[in-house]
Amino acid sequence: MGLHGGGYDSRYFDAPGSSLLSRAAAAGFPALALTRPGHPADEESARRQPSFAEAAVIIAEAIADAWQQLGDGRPGVVLLGHSIGGAIAVHIATARTLTWPLLGLTVSGVGDVISPRAQCSTVRTGRWTTGR
């Protein structure tokens, strides 16, 4: 189950030519991606944006529905969260009320350490750059 970051929607995991969803299906692993609550973030939905914990509850319920429909004969669900979706996936993974089997958690695009190369670039220019 793919959970996208802040500037994206579920299509993040279905990019033409490099779709994670298509590649997983071709390998025999059904994969889904959800658009997180409040996205795409137009002005109205941005005002109603749930907290990470609230979004985790909503998404866990959606996964439960998907599990009921698609989970028969499968061992469980792996959460793949990118950026803010990763933070929400961690909230989901730590919940004690899941009604579906969680097999794993993988997170990308998060961290609290800036590489030395990026730090030098930021200090030198006063703005974020690619470091090139």
Side-chain angles (χ1 to χ4, degrees):
M1 180 64 67
L3 303 175
H4 62 87
Y8 305 98
D9 60 22
S10 63
R11 293 174 295 179
Y12 177 82
F13 296 100
D14 199 22
S18 61
S19 170
L20 175 70
L21 303 181
S22 296
R23 288 181 180 188
F29 300 101
L32 302 173
L34 296 175
T35 295
R36 293 188 298 106
H39 285 269
D42 58 26
E43 190 174 316
E44 177 60 27
S45 62
R47 281 195 295 272
R48 297 184 324 233
Q49 195 78 219
S51 69
F52 291 175
E54 292 166 336
V57 170
I58 294 166
I59 293 168
E61 290 173 0
I63 294 171
D65 289 343
W67 180 254
Q68 283 185 325
Q69 295 176 37
L70 306 170
D72 192 36
R74 309 212 184 274
V77 175
V78 174
L79 296 177
L80 167 59
H82 174 73
S83 190
I84 291 172
I88 294 169
V90 169
H91 277 270
I92 294 169
T94 60
R96 300 191 185 272
T97 57
L98 297 179
T99 60
W100 42 272
L102 176 63
L103 289 181
L105 169 68
T106 183
V107 177
S108 67
V110 297
D112 62 354
V113 177
I114 300 172
S115 75
R117 184 174 179 180
Q119 285 177 341
C120 290
S121 179
T122 303
V123 169
R124 185 176 66 245
T125 64
R127 61 185 171 81
W128 290 102
T129 66
T130 62
R132 292 180 205 165

